[in-house]
Amino acid sequence: MGLLGKKSIGLFCALAMSTLFSFGAFAHSISGKVRDVGINQEKDKISVTVDSSGDSSGTDGSVYIFEIKPYQNDLSGRTDYLAKGSIGANQTFSFPLHAGPGELRLYSAFVPAVKVGGRYEMIANRRYIENPEIVAENQDPALNPGKKGLRVDPNILDDALSLNIKHAGVDIPTQRFFGNGIDYTYESKTYKINKELIDQLDAEVKRLSDSGVAVTAILLNAWNQTVPELNPLGVTELPKEQAVYYGFNVESEAGFRAVKAMASFLAKRYNGKNGHGKITNWVVGNEINNQYWNYMGDLDVSAYTSKFQRAFRVFYTAMKSVSANDNIMFSIDHYWNMLPEAAPVGKYKGKDILLAFHNYEEAEGYMDYGLALHPYPYPIYSPNFWDDDKTGRVNDTVDSPIVNFKNLHVITDFMSMDSMKNRKGQVRKIFLTEEGFSSIAKGVDKSTEQAAAVAYSYFIVDNNPYISAYLMSRQEDNEDETKHGLAFGLSSIVNHQLVPKPAHEVFKWIDNASATEGIADFARAVIGIDSWDQLIPNFRFPGR
């Protein structure tokens, strides 16, 4: 598996680099590489280390460092370099972090160039600041009180908290972010923020935080009528049956500034220090291997991921520069090595997206990103994931078309490869931010199987040290989903009342050391086993 992973990474690296260097002609005989971009310990300067070599004929013999924004692709007409030095290996350049009144170079990349006649030509790809967390006032460890969690309904938080959750998923509809009621000045510009949305988030996040729950925010960008510069460039709004959400635009100056302002506001508002609660984990977009959930236009996987990761980096930098140990993630669904089947627009294999993102991250500047996985059963309507290998789409290899609870180790084995680890040699954070099991399959009641699936899947997660969190997708059944024969909720809604299913009680007690064995005992017969260690090597019950 390691060899397969390395071959795939090499292929994507080649594709990524060909795209990265497509923006213009370099100097003919000087080439270079930016090896490191970081903020110093005093937090007032940026240091850039560059290797360059080649025949300097035709240049003035010097290397110049330019600042470049996500929406800029070349140096046409520019002379505003930040530093000047010599051609050679391991050359270090330094300049102020502050760009001027009220503005930091925190979100910028930097490129080396040589002067040819009256123009400057880039000799290497851009690289962004790699340690934004150094300037964060909040250096507290990320809260993670356990693994069990739920995507909560803000209208029934009492029920959610009664389930002893340790994590809560909260959706933030960013198309509603800008509006009226709150003035927020950022980089000398005042933005109008929707007070109604922020009041709702304040109440939800604070109550969850005060209850000791780690909050995960999912940033969802529907088509924006209020601030159209947030919408992807060159894209028009599609019918809802084709695209629900859209990528964030940082390819124009106005879009870049709006995304920065939004990300900065959210990071500061929910830093846990000012009475509004704490958001610890952030997921940018939804299931980005399927453009139904993240539309950006007709793009191949390399171009698509390049655009996404530059927008992702803005959120990453904003959150990390406020709370150093927040987790910032992107999500993929369970279609690991096959294209999503229900996708009317652009679709990609989850593994291809992950590899492309990882290689752009390596090329453009380190981020300690995390992965949010949605390991639904296959087919999605059947809760019996333990039989999913019979579909021929779920196996134990790195090339398995589907990754879900039947073969969850495939993703953690993949992320455990040295080539995928973070700079500290650690496996990157993996959160399961959305999963569910339907209590109805083709019109037949499967509530017992749903409850068994909750027990078994949680045991799998609890016994896998590389999974940080497990968030069930639905607190109660969703009306639109039930019309399509899917009932993922832990409860049903009957006559406007919440009616718990068997899975509700199992979920409540599954991580309780004294209750877990008894509450899950029925599931052994449903699955067809005598003991859990038949399925889970070195099995132990939660909390024991």
Side-chain angles (χ1 to χ4, degrees), residues 92-115:
T92 300
F93 303 80
S94 183
F95 40 85
L97 173 61
H98 289 267
E103 185 168 357
L104 300 176
R105 294 190 169 98
L106 200 58
Y107 298 85
S108 296
F110 304 91
V111 293
V114 293
K115 190 174 184 180

Side-chain angles (χ1 to χ4, degrees), residues 151-431:
R151 298 281 288 266
V152 298
D153 182 335
N155 298 308
I156 47 175
L157 284 184
D158 285 346
D159 173 69
L161 292 171
S162 77
L163 293 169
N164 301 314
I165 56 173
K166 312 304 188 295
H167 289 266
V170 173
D171 291 349
I172 298 182
T174 59
Q175 77 278 6
R176 294 179 55 209
F177 178 79
F178 293 103
N180 290 294
I182 298 175
D183 288 347
Y184 177 61
T185 301
Y186 182 74
E187 294 184 346
S188 302
K189 179 178 178 179
T190 299
Y191 294 85
K192 300 288 186 180
I193 311 299
N194 181 356
K195 186 176 186 299
E196 181 183 4
L197 172 64
I198 300 306
D199 285 348
Q200 292 171 6
L201 288 173
D202 284 354
E204 189 174 2
V205 174
K206 180 171 172 51
R207 176 148 189 226
L208 291 165
S209 296
D210 289 350
S211 301
V213 175
V215 179
T216 297
I218 300 91
L219 301 167
L220 303 170
N221 191 43
W223 189 261
N224 200 306
Q225 304 288 355
T226 306
V227 184
E229 53 264 36
L230 282 176
N231 302 322
L233 284 185
V235 166
T236 57
E237 184 177 11
L238 295 180
K240 289 293 190 291
E241 60 269 19
Q242 294 184 36
V244 177
Y245 300 120
Y246 295 78
F248 293 96
N249 170 39
V250 297
E251 294 185 285
S252 69
E253 182 174 3
F256 174 55
R257 289 188 177 277
V259 172
K260 277 198 299 181
M262 177 196 302
S264 171
F265 178 91
L266 291 171
K268 293 174 182 176
R269 184 86 173 185
Y270 302 111
N271 66 358
K273 304 294 185 182
N274 55 20
H276 301 299
K278 178 75 180 90
I279 294 177
T280 302
N281 312 299
W282 307 83
V283 181
V284 181
N286 181 58
E287 296 183 357
I288 66 166
N289 58 310
N290 186 342
Q291 285 207 51
Y292 178 74
W293 301 110
N294 194 68
Y295 187 67
M296 297 176 72
D298 185 14
L299 301 165
D300 64 30
V301 65
S302 182
Y304 171 77
T305 310
S306 175
K307 289 174 180 284
F308 173 80
Q309 66 89 24
R310 286 188 181 171
F312 176 95
R313 189 180 292 274
V314 173
F315 286 101
Y316 179 91
T317 300
M319 281 51 185
K320 285 287 193 180
S321 63
V322 172
S323 296
N325 293 301
D326 280 5
N327 298 304
I328 298 86
M329 301 170 274
F330 62 89
S331 68
I332 58 175
D333 61 24
H334 56 316
Y335 290 97
W336 174 243
N337 199 43
M338 66 180 284
L339 299 178
E341 293 167 300
V345 290
K347 49 189 177 182
Y348 315 93
K349 299 175 183 178
K351 184 171 73 167
D352 288 355
I353 289 286
L354 174 58
L355 285 169
F357 185 97
H358 185 75
N359 284 292
Y360 277 117
E361 178 259 349
E362 286 190 333
E364 295 198 346
Y366 174 75
M367 294 183 284
D368 191 12
Y369 69 86
L371 177 66
L373 181 69
H374 298 173
Y376 280 99
Y378 187 86
I380 197 167
Y381 60 79
S382 172
N384 301 29
F385 69 84
W386 48 89
D387 292 335
D388 283 0
D389 55 326
K390 295 177 181 178
T391 66
R393 298 292 179 88
V394 182
N395 60 59
D396 291 315
T397 74
V398 71
D399 294 320
S400 177
I402 298 290
V403 168
N404 63 18
F405 288 106
K406 176 64 177 177
N407 62 345
L408 192 62
H409 69 89
V410 168
I411 194 72
T412 54
D413 289 349
F414 187 83
M415 296 299 285
S416 296
M417 294 191 303
D418 288 343
S419 56
M420 296 300 294
K421 292 178 180 177
N422 68 16
R423 279 187 172 175
K424 295 179 181 179
Q426 301 165 332
V427 176
R428 295 173 185 271
K429 296 293 184 182
I430 305 170
F431 279 53

Side-chain angles (χ1 to χ4, degrees), residues 524-537:
R524 293 186 294 113
V526 176
I527 298 167
I529 58 169
D530 295 320
S531 63
W532 292 106
D533 55 14
Q534 289 176 246
L535 298 173
I536 304 172

Side-chain angles (χ1 to χ4, degrees), residues 147-151 167-170 216 218 431-436 469-474 507:
K147 295 190 178 186
K148 188 177 77 175
L150 181 65
R151 298 281 288 266
H167 289 266
V170 173
T216 297
I218 300 91
F431 279 53
L432 309 184
T433 53
E434 183 183 322
E435 68 270 352
Y470 165 102
L471 278 70
M472 297 294 293
S473 61
R474 295 291 183 195
F507 180 77

Side-chain angles (χ1 to χ4, degrees), residues 485-527:
L486 299 172
F488 292 123
L490 296 175
S491 297
S492 301
I493 302 293
V494 179
N495 296 325
H496 307 290
Q497 297 294 316
L498 202 63
V499 179
K501 303 177 188 178
H504 186 277
E505 191 74 358
V506 171
F507 180 77
K508 179 176 182 177
W509 296 107
I510 197 63
D511 62 337
N512 182 292
S514 61
T516 181
E517 185 172 2
I519 200 70
D521 188 61
F522 78 98
R524 293 186 294 113
V526 176
I527 298 167

